[in-house]
Amino acid sequence: MLLIPAIDLKGGQCVRLQQGLMDRATVFSDEPAKMALHWCQQGARRLHLVDLDGAFAGKPENMISIKAILEQVADNVPVQLGGGVRDLHTIERYLQLGLSYVIIGTAAVKNPQFVRQACAAFPGQIIVGLDAKDGLVAIDGWAKVTDLHVTELAKRFADDGIDSIIYTDIGRDGMMGGVNINATVKLAQEVAVPVIASGGVTSMADVEALCAVAELGVAGAIVGRAIYEGSLDLATAQRMADQNKC
């Protein structure tokens, strides 16, 4: 079970949102690159970046911070990023900077063909991010909820060559209320690619619950507010997962 610290970027700062609402942001650092290095020193083996401004604008908006993070850690750990990825040029630009994976979210929903094109152009480096509220997919920085069910949409991408799917339960994101194990497992059992859980990972109990379903296709979990506020110690949690003591 891989625990992946999240660094959400808004206005060049490292923030955490509650339920994806931009007006409910807590600033945790003015120096995201130092935060990235900190999590690596705590044992992180992958980092998850989100360009929050880019998700709303539809194009990269925090490039200075992203470059600084990659210069600091990309030689040592893989880094994945989502938010504002709408075309192949943006993906290519990010990969040239040192990203290992690029996450396609809104564009995957609006233009499924784009995912196929991206996987063909950059094999093994494309992740699809599916964010849902009550099982329905949300897009445009979670500002709009569609009538598409997350499980049915995920099946469309399973054969396109994607590396994995990140499943975020919007209702749990940043709320410190626990991860939605049932929905995550259901999705993992329906698709033939690894699923990374996101939203609500709060405590060691959540990590234990995720470890218990790892063999069902849940390959990792993105951790955010809990490691910033201290309810979950990243180093301890990852060590426990590695030792299979969940």
Side-chain angles (χ1 to χ4, degrees):
M1 177 61 58
L2 189 64
L3 302 180
I4 310 170
I7 298 178
D8 292 357
L9 301 168
K10 180 177 183 289
Q13 297 176 311
C14 174
V15 307
R16 293 300 297 166
L17 306 184
Q18 289 186 333
Q19 297 182 321
L21 300 174
M22 291 288 272
D23 60 355
R24 298 177 68 181
T26 302
V27 177
F28 284 101
S29 176
D30 291 325
E31 299 181 89
K34 286 188 176 181
M35 185 61 70
L37 181 60
H38 169 73
W39 294 131
C40 290
Q41 292 171 338
Q42 293 297 306
R45 297 201 296 272
R46 187 187 293 198
L47 293 179
H48 175 77
L49 310 185
V50 181
D51 183 349
L52 293 172
D53 301 302
F56 285 90
K59 59 184 178 66
E61 291 286 343
N62 281 280
M63 191 60 75
I64 292 175
S65 295
I66 293 166
K67 287 181 178 179
I69 291 171
L70 293 173
E71 289 171 359
Q72 189 74 259
V73 304
D75 288 340
N76 299 311
V77 299
V79 182
Q80 61 193 42
L81 178 142
V85 178
R86 303 289 192 270
D87 54 59
L88 295 178
H89 173 71
T90 297
I91 296 175
E92 183 177 26
R93 185 182 179 192
Y94 274 140
L95 294 177
Q96 289 175 344
L97 286 176
L99 280 175
S100 297
Y101 305 96
V102 175
I103 303 161
I104 303 176
T106 291
V109 181
K110 292 184 174 181
N111 181 17
Q113 182 63 30
F114 175 49
V115 175
R116 300 186 190 96
Q117 294 171 345
C119 288
F122 311 104
Q125 294 183 290
I126 303 301
I127 296 172
V128 165
L130 295 179
D131 310 323
K133 185 173 184 179
D134 299 325
L136 298 178
V137 174
I139 59 174
D140 295 331
W142 301 354
K144 300 176 183 177
V145 178
T146 71
D147 58 359
L148 299 170
H149 196 278
V150 64
T151 302
E152 294 305 315
L153 188 60
K155 291 179 181 178
R156 303 181 190 180
F157 302 117
D159 296 325
D160 288 343
I162 60 175
D163 173 82
S164 53
I165 292 173
I166 295 174
Y167 170 62
T168 302
D169 186 326
I170 296 174
R172 308 228 180 178
D173 190 71
M175 299 304 291
M176 305 287 283
V179 67
N180 191 335
I181 293 290
N182 291 337
T184 303
V185 169
K186 181 179 179 181
L187 178 61
Q189 290 179 317
E190 292 286 345
V191 296
V193 297
V195 171
I196 297 172
S198 177
V201 180
T202 302
S203 64
M204 291 294 280
D206 290 318
V207 177
E208 292 172 0
L210 287 164
C211 287
V213 297
E215 293 184 353
L216 299 177
V218 182
I222 294 168
V223 290
R225 183 174 290 271
I227 58 173
Y228 286 93
E229 295 189 346
S231 70
L232 181 68
D233 181 81
L234 176 66
T236 301
Q238 185 63 73
R239 187 162 54 247
M240 181 187 71
D242 290 343
Q243 294 173 349
N244 296 315
K245 292 182 178 179
C246 300

